[in-house]
Amino acid sequence: MEVKIYLNDLKYRYEVYQLFNVYFSMSNIDFVEEDKSDYKVYIDDETLKFIYKDYQRKEKISEEKKHSIRRFIFICLRELTNDIYPWGILIGIRPSKIALKLLKEGNTEEEVINIFKERYLAHEDKAKLCIDVARAEERIVNKDKNNIAVYIGMAFCPTRCVYCSFTANPIAAHKKMVMPYIEALIKEINGMSSYIKEKNLNIESVYFGGGTPTSVNDEEFAMVMKEIYDNFIKDNNVKEFTVECGRPDSINKNKLQTMKDYKVNRISINPQTMNDKTLKLIGRNHTSEDIIEKFNMARNLGFEHINMDLIIGLPGEGYEEFLNTKNEIIKLKPDSITIHGLALKRGSAMYENFVLKKGIEVTLQDEIIKMYAETKNLGDSLGLSPYYMYRQKNMVGNMENLGYAKKGKECIYNIQMIEEKQTIIALGAAAVSKVVFLEEDRLERFPNLKDLHEYIRRIDEMIKRKKGLLDTLYN
């Protein structure tokens, strides 16, 4: 679908685009000449005017101008489409920060809810969610510059899921690159470990993700795990060591035992859905029974914190399909769950097929809202509470990604990563380090190279430059 907009003052192009993108997120949105447009938006010093066919709306600018434009466009499109978007005009990735700021300014919870509803046109349930998340994050978020997190990325996966845009190379096609990559990764682990010790930094959490860390063979996996343990875990008071097991088809008893041996205390087994038809469609070579088998295997080996990721809005899935997933997850009783709204990212196969070729049908908006309501019921059934949240561009339904956990089992790394109040030293291809200057309320990023060959070839350079950036904080 193509959305053609005439805007008389392109100074406000960004504000107008943002709100059209809420209602037409899978469309090409273009600003064109007046005679070629379908939608016409006129902005002057005092008034706003919107025209689409027989629909017209006009109102005075009654508050801060850009905010007034966003509200006006949102209301016009809501009236035209009858679609419901519970976040209103909130488009930032961390809306809970607004709630926390309002609470710190002395507003009651009821006053915060009213501000969300009246100023931002957000629904009451989203305002309450922001308050709950803000209070949970505030308990854990970092306040000491010497506390850090370490992220290690494995750049391989068993196969590439159709929605994926990460650096996740299918391992069968890149077998010759696995050992050179691991050798470079170990070199980076050793290099940054010596820096952490030299600066006497405290490692609060370690997160081994990717990609899929368990996609390599047992010996290769054990090799990396030993290096992570020796360098970051053994002599440090690490609160949380997570391994993103991810795909059940990459997990076996040997790898799980290796994790136990090296003191992993949180793992993630990610079904995304418990519907076999969908698993096949999105490029996963396993079934829902495989998920159940590997989950129970991990429990029997003594893992006391197992997280499971689910995705809302996968192709072909509606309310009934999610109910099946919900009921199966309740039987397993994970300690935390992470709910992702499907984000159609450029570079993913799903973007190519859905956005460009229109080959995959999107889940209807009212179904999306009902499915999100069931995720809350799922959390309640498992005794879990929301503890972290973020939003992304091009999410189906313009909703949110949300973590639920039992009290005391909130993922520390997730909170520090999303709140951006803790330095994260990130290792591996495409991993992005964040150096946080708490007193200045700013951060600087250092991205490792994405290409496997370049990452391997230039590993010494990346270690040196990363240390150089960290020296600006820990001099």
Side-chain angles (χ1 to χ4, degrees):
M1 181 179 175
E2 193 168 3
V3 178
K4 298 177 181 178
I5 307 166
Y6 170 72
L7 176 61
N8 70 315
D9 190 345
L10 290 174
K11 179 169 61 178
Y12 301 104
R13 174 183 181 136
Y14 180 67
E15 286 72 29
V16 173
Y17 177 87
Q18 281 182 319
L19 274 301
F20 269 88
N21 194 49
V22 169
Y23 282 87
F24 305 105
S25 61
M26 303 307 154
S27 303
N28 293 320
I29 299 172
D30 293 318
F31 290 88
V32 298
E33 298 298 323
E34 190 170 11
D35 60 345
K36 296 178 181 177
S37 66
D38 299 313
Y39 300 86
K40 296 175 175 61
V41 180
Y42 302 91
I43 302 170
D44 61 32
D45 290 338
E46 296 182 355
T47 61
L48 301 167
K49 187 177 181 181
F50 187 108
I51 299 173
Y52 176 73
K53 295 182 180 177
D54 296 332
Y55 175 89
Q56 287 194 33
R57 184 182 179 93
K58 186 177 180 180
E59 67 178 48
K60 289 184 178 180
I61 297 172
S62 57
E63 50 191 304
E64 191 274 320
K65 193 166 186 178
K66 290 182 178 179
H67 181 78
S68 187
I69 291 168
R70 292 188 186 103
R71 284 174 56 91
F72 177 70
I73 299 295
F74 183 87
I75 290 168
C76 291
L77 293 174
R78 184 175 64 188
E79 290 178 349
L80 273 172
T81 65
N82 293 317
D83 283 339
I84 303 299
Y85 289 95
W87 282 106
I89 65 170
L90 287 168
I91 20 209
I93 65 172
R94 291 186 293 277
S96 59
K97 281 195 168 184
I98 298 172
L100 184 59
K101 181 175 182 290
L102 291 169
L103 290 167
K104 284 185 172 181
E105 288 172 353
N107 293 282
T108 65
E109 290 193 4
E110 185 178 348
E111 287 169 336
V112 172
I113 290 167
N114 286 333
I115 292 169
F116 268 71
K117 288 163 68 176
E118 293 169 14
R119 177 170 174 79
Y120 300 111
L121 305 177
H123 290 198
E124 184 170 334
D125 63 322
K126 297 304 179 190
K128 288 180 177 177
L129 176 61
C130 283
I131 292 169
D132 290 343
V133 169
R135 293 204 184 282
E137 289 180 335
E138 182 65 5
R139 293 196 311 270
I140 297 172
V141 72
N142 181 58
K143 298 175 179 66
D144 182 346
K145 78 169 189 176
N146 288 318
N147 288 338
I148 65 165
V150 175
Y151 174 86
I152 303 102
M154 179 61 74
F156 305 98
C157 270
T159 59
R160 190 174 183 85
C161 298
V162 295
Y163 52 77
C164 181
S165 63
F166 293 121
T167 300
N169 304 280
I171 198 159
H174 294 83
K175 279 186 177 178
K176 291 182 180 178
M177 296 298 297
V178 172
M179 188 49 68
Y181 177 81
I182 288 174
E183 289 169 353
L185 180 62
I186 289 173
K187 190 171 192 177
E188 193 175 16
I189 288 170
N190 291 326
M192 297 317 300
S193 170
S194 64
Y195 182 90
I196 290 167
K197 288 171 184 171
E198 176 192 334
K199 300 297 183 180
N200 198 29
L201 304 179
N202 176 55
I203 302 172
E204 185 179 42
S205 66
V206 175
Y207 195 104
F208 188 12
T212 306
T214 47
S215 60
V216 297
N217 68 36
D218 293 5
E219 292 74 20
E220 291 160 346
F221 180 71
M223 186 187 308
V224 178
M225 287 294 296
K226 183 179 187 304
E227 292 293 333
I228 295 172
Y229 177 78
D230 287 346
N231 284 277
F232 301 132
I233 306 296
K234 185 168 63 174
D235 298 323
N236 295 286
N237 187 28
V238 176
K239 293 180 182 177
E240 176 184 273
F241 182 11
T242 297
V243 174
E244 187 90 22
C245 302
R247 304 261 297 254
D249 48 330
S250 70
I251 303 169
N252 60 34
K253 193 171 182 179
N254 283 341
K255 285 172 180 163
L256 288 168
Q257 187 60 55
T258 296
M259 292 179 231
K260 288 295 292 182
D261 292 343
Y262 289 121
K263 309 305 179 188
V264 172
N265 57 12
R266 180 180 182 272
I267 65 172
S268 192
I269 298 174
N270 302 332
Q272 317 301 13
T273 176
M274 295 297 282
N275 297 294
D276 290 341
K277 183 178 178 182
T278 310
L279 288 169
K280 185 175 181 181
L281 181 62
I282 64 176
R284 292 205 153 208
N285 295 334
H286 63 82
T287 65
S288 55
E289 282 299 317
D290 295 328
I291 296 163
I292 295 166
E293 178 195 349
K294 298 304 170 61
F295 185 95
N296 289 331
M297 182 185 292
R299 272 286 192 247
N300 292 335
L301 281 170
F303 284 95
E304 296 179 355
H305 186 172
I306 305 177
N307 175 77
M308 302 188 89
D309 283 9
L310 306 173
I311 296 180
I312 299 288
L314 287 168
E317 290 213 344
Y319 180 69
E320 292 301 321
E321 286 77 15
F322 186 76
L323 273 184
N324 178 62
T325 294
K326 171 195 160 188
N327 292 333
E328 291 300 316
I329 297 299
I330 287 173
K331 294 175 189 175
L332 292 173
K333 297 183 175 61
D335 307 282
S336 62
I337 56 172
T338 309
I339 307 296
H340 296 274
L342 179 66
L344 291 169
K345 300 178 182 178
R346 295 180 187 274
S348 69
M350 187 173 286
Y351 181 90
E352 297 291 323
N353 288 325
F354 178 77
V355 178
L356 301 183
K357 297 179 183 175
K358 313 298 181 187
I360 299 175
E361 185 178 348
V362 69
T363 310
L364 296 175
Q365 180 65 12
D366 60 345
E367 292 271 291
I368 291 286
I369 292 172
K370 285 168 63 180
M371 290 156 78
Y372 267 89
E374 286 299 333
T375 66
K376 183 181 185 305
N377 294 337
L378 171 58
D380 290 344
S381 298
L382 294 169
L384 314 179
S385 301
Y387 75 96
Y388 100 109
M389 172 177 59
Y390 67 100
R391 302 178 69 219
Q392 294 171 273
K393 293 180 180 178
N394 296 327
M395 285 182 70
V396 172
N398 194 43
M399 299 295 268
E400 72 273 357
N401 299 319
L402 183 62
Y404 290 87
K406 292 178 180 176
K407 191 167 183 179
K409 291 193 174 180
E410 300 89 351
C411 179
I412 296 169
Y413 174 83
N414 281 344
I415 290 176
Q416 308 298 12
M417 178 270 298
I418 205 65
E419 282 298 304
E420 296 183 331
K421 294 293 185 183
Q422 184 175 85
T423 292
I424 296 175
I425 297 177
L427 319 175
V432 180
S433 295
K434 296 178 181 179
V435 180
V436 174
F437 300 79
L438 280 172
E439 293 179 0
E440 302 170 42
D441 194 25
R442 70 178 179 92
L443 66 83
E444 292 192 29
R445 292 177 171 83
F446 181 86
N448 277 356
L449 294 164
K450 292 183 180 180
D451 181 81
L452 293 180
H453 294 276
E454 287 299 293
Y455 170 78
I456 293 164
R457 186 174 71 85
R458 295 169 62 184
I459 188 62
D460 291 322
E461 173 194 335
M462 279 178 285
I463 294 170
K464 182 179 179 181
R465 289 178 59 198
K466 203 183 331 259
K467 287 180 179 179
L469 174 57
L470 287 161
D471 277 340
T472 62
L473 177 61
Y474 301 112
N475 49 28

